[in-house]
């Protein structure tokens, strides 16, 4: 479907044309008409499917028609990270180019000037506020943020926000919103905790789901079936002869990031760490060094699995098996971009075998198992427990969810 086939205002279509968009992605084709009908929506779609435009375009379309309060915040978009908030804000600038809509991005950092700019945007009543939960609450607690006239509330990458511990922050913000509003939730996965959040904040939502795409064929996938204490030895072996030009090692927790990074530095490897305990300035510095090849190896939690815009990462190592198939796809999707080849290697300890088997089932193929080097000792057998192994235990099923202002946009970043 072409965007011109959707009931969008000329000002929005002009911006779409100027940005050289023509055909809708599947999530845009399904979501935009529902949002234009002012229905609450849950959309399950992974990063890279065009979901930002799927909610920005219809919201801007409705704002362009007028009838919304002057000098008030009309839309709040929640984002798990500063990086995603910036990306959304940049797209907002492009899509609103031909209409008098304003936006402000609210995220953390140590820059006092930045905080004052954010305060100004919030007090003047920007049409669209794009914010990370913690930073928005910091402004709210200072007493000058009025969310009582918000008409649109969007949660982007809701699953990641909950993984990062933002549930209470989100619910504090929701309490300040009017009950009569349109709520839109985008999530890459739909676990039970997302369904519970949706039950709490959405009203009779429409639900759409775009199937998670399989990893690119160019990615060479392999796995080591190993014991936990063999993992560092495997890294040492992999990097013994050749350290990759650019590699991301994904681990399960920020504590483990610190431990693995310390061990790799002891091996004299050029490594950086990325996790939520770092100040924003530190995270920016690490990403700058990684992008410019002054750091070869980045050890990270899933905070960088989405939204990272680096096209020539040559290898990904899953030090720990990701929680689900979607996370696996997001992680290894960091490699083999921009027509490059890529390698993805996963370390599978005994307790993670069942989880890894679920990933193989999702992919519809067995991932090649590499032998652990003899000097690291014997490796465990690959014997994942399946549902049939859980005799006498009930498998708990998942519940089915039913459930115009004359202000110029901010300058591009």
């Amino acid at each position: 479907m072409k965007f011109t086939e959707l009931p969008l205002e000329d000002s929005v279509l002009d911006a779409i044309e100027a940005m050289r968009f023509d055909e809708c992605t599947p999530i845009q084709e399904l979501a935009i008409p529902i949002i234009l009908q002012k229905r609450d929506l849950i959309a399950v779609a992974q990063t890279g499917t065009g979901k930002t435009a799927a909610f920005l375009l219809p919201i801007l379309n409705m704002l362009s028609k007028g009838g919304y309060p002057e000098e008030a915040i009309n839309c709040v978009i929640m984002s798990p990270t500063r990086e995603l908030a910036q990306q959304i804000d940049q797209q907002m600038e492009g899509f609103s180019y031909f209409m008098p809509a304003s936006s402000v991005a609210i995220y953390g950092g140590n820059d006092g000037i930045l905080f004052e700019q954010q305060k100004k945007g919030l007090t003047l009543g920007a049409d669209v506020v794009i914010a990370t939960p913690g930073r928005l609450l910091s402004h709210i607690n200072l007493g000058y943020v009025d969310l009582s006239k918000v008409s649109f509330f969007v949660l982007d990458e809701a699953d990641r926000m909950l993984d990062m511990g933002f549930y209470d922050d989100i619910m504090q913000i929701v309490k300040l919103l009017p009950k009569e509003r349109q709520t839109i939730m985008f999530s890459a996965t739909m676990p039970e905790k997302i369904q519970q959040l949706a039950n709490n904040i959405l009203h009779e939502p429409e639900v759409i789901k775009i199937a998670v795409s399989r990893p690119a064929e160019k990615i060479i996938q392999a796995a080591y079936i190993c014991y936990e204490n063999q993992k560092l030895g495997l890294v040492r072996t992999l990097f013994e002869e050749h350290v990759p030009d650019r590699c991301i090692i994904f681990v399960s927790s920020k504590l483990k990031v610190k431990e693995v990074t310390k061990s790799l530095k002891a091996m004299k490897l050029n490594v950086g760490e990325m996790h939520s305990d770092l100040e924003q300035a530190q995270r920016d510095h690490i990403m700058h060094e990684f992008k410019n090849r002054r750091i070869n190896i980045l050890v990270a939690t899933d905070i960088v699995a989405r939204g990272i815009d680096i096209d020539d990462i040559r290898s990904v190592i899953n030090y720990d098996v990701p929680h689900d198939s979607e996370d696996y796809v997001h992680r290894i999707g960091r490699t083999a971009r921009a027509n490059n080849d890529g390698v993805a290697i996963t370390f599978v300890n005994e307790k993670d075998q069942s989880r890894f088997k679920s990933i193989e089932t999702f992919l519809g193929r067995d991932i090649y198992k590499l032998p652990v080097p003899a000097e690291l000792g014997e490796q465990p057998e690959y014997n994942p427990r399946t549902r049939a192994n859980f005799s006498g235990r009930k498998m708990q099923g998942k519940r089915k969810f039913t459930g115009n202002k004359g202000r110029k946009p901010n300058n591009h970043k």
Side-chain angles (χ1 to χ4, degrees), residues 22 25 59 76 85 100 119 133-134 150 166 240 259 276 322 376 385 397:
D22 183 31
T25 66
I59 289 173
V76 173
K119 177 181 177 180
V150 169
F166 286 136
E240 207 164 44
E259 294 172 350
S276 59
L376 296 180
R385 301 173 73 186

Side-chain angles (χ1 to χ4, degrees), residues 149-396:
K149 297 178 182 178
V150 169
S151 295
F152 310 100
F153 183 55
V154 182
L155 293 172
D156 193 15
E157 296 198 359
D159 52 345
R160 195 57 57 205
M161 278 193 274
L162 296 195
D163 287 344
M164 294 170 68
F166 286 136
Y167 179 85
D168 290 340
D169 289 352
I170 291 169
M171 294 311 296
Q172 284 188 59
I173 293 166
V174 167
K175 289 177 182 177
L176 302 174
L177 301 172
K179 290 185 178 180
E180 294 297 320
R181 66 175 190 270
Q182 184 176 6
T183 305
I184 301 159
M185 180 187 292
F186 278 77
S187 181
T189 59
M190 194 64 174
E192 183 72 16
K193 59 187 178 181
I194 288 294
Q195 296 188 33
Q196 292 172 354
L197 175 63
N199 277 324
N200 288 333
I201 69 172
L202 281 85
H203 176 68
E204 297 181 355
E206 293 279 346
V207 181
I208 58 178
K209 184 170 183 177
I210 302 297
V212 176
S213 61
R214 301 300 192 263
E217 292 296 327
K218 294 177 293 184
I219 301 175
I220 300 170
Q221 300 177 62
Y224 286 101
I225 309 303
C226 60
Y227 294 106
E228 184 67 27
N229 61 10
Q230 293 175 318
K231 290 182 177 181
L232 279 174
L234 285 170
V235 173
R236 184 182 289 108
T237 301
L238 288 170
F239 295 161
E240 207 164 44
E241 295 184 2
H242 175 68
V243 178
D245 181 46
R246 199 171 297 174
C247 172
I248 299 181
I249 300 177
F250 286 109
V251 297
S252 58
S253 69
K254 57 191 177 186
L255 177 61
K256 209 166 185 179
V257 168
K258 299 171 186 177
E259 294 172 350
V260 172
T261 301
K262 183 178 179 181
S263 298
L264 297 186
K265 285 182 176 178
M267 298 179 198
K268 308 299 183 185
L269 293 170
N270 189 8
V271 59
E273 60 187 85
M274 179 70 74
H275 51 78
S276 59
D277 273 356
L278 296 178
E279 295 289 338
Q280 189 60 50
Q282 295 174 295
R283 286 165 57 184
D284 290 344
H285 175 70
I286 292 294
M287 287 308 302
H288 183 268
E289 296 295 284
F290 187 56
K291 287 180 179 181
N292 289 281
R293 291 184 170 85
R294 286 187 283 271
I295 289 175
N296 300 106
I297 302 163
L298 185 66
V299 184
T301 57
D302 281 308
I303 194 171
V304 297
R306 306 178 192 186
I308 185 172
D309 189 22
I310 302 177
D311 286 335
D312 54 352
I313 294 169
R314 306 315 294 267
S315 57
V316 166
I317 295 175
N318 292 309
Y319 195 90
D320 299 306
V321 176
H323 288 291
D324 53 44
S325 305
E326 289 91 341
D327 282 338
Y328 178 83
V329 172
H330 288 306
R331 284 186 182 185
I332 75 170
R334 301 304 94 200
T335 187
R337 298 171 73 178
N339 297 316
N340 291 319
D341 294 327
V343 176
I345 297 174
T346 304
F347 299 163
V348 186
N349 65 18
E350 289 179 295
K351 69 180 181 66
D352 286 340
Q353 287 191 14
S354 295
R355 190 183 295 167
F356 188 69
K357 183 61 181 177
S358 296
I359 292 171
E360 290 185 306
T361 300
F362 171 79
L363 298 175
R365 52 170 287 196
D366 290 336
I367 294 173
Y368 181 70
K369 315 301 188 298
L370 295 163
V372 171
E375 62 267 23
L376 296 180
E378 293 186 3
Q379 66 187 104
E381 292 183 19
Y382 185 52
N383 185 27
R385 301 173 73 186
T386 62
R387 288 176 180 245
N389 297 131
F390 289 91
S391 56
R393 288 179 58 188
K394 286 187 177 181
M395 299 299 293
Q396 185 175 4

Side-chain angles (χ1 to χ4, degrees), residues 12-21:
V12 178
L13 290 173
D14 288 344
I16 293 170
E17 183 181 2
M19 295 178 74
R20 298 183 179 180
F21 291 161

Side-chain angles (χ1 to χ4, degrees), residues 6-43:
L6 292 168
L8 296 171
E9 298 294 301
D10 288 343
S11 58
V12 178
L13 290 173
D14 288 344
I16 293 170
E17 183 181 2
M19 295 178 74
R20 298 183 179 180
F21 291 161
D22 183 31
E23 297 275 350
C24 299
T25 66
I27 189 65
Q28 292 162 1
E29 183 175 341
L30 292 172
I32 290 174
I34 293 171
I35 298 173
L36 288 173
Q37 293 168 15
K38 299 189 177 182
R39 297 289 308 275
D40 282 9
L41 172 67
I42 301 172

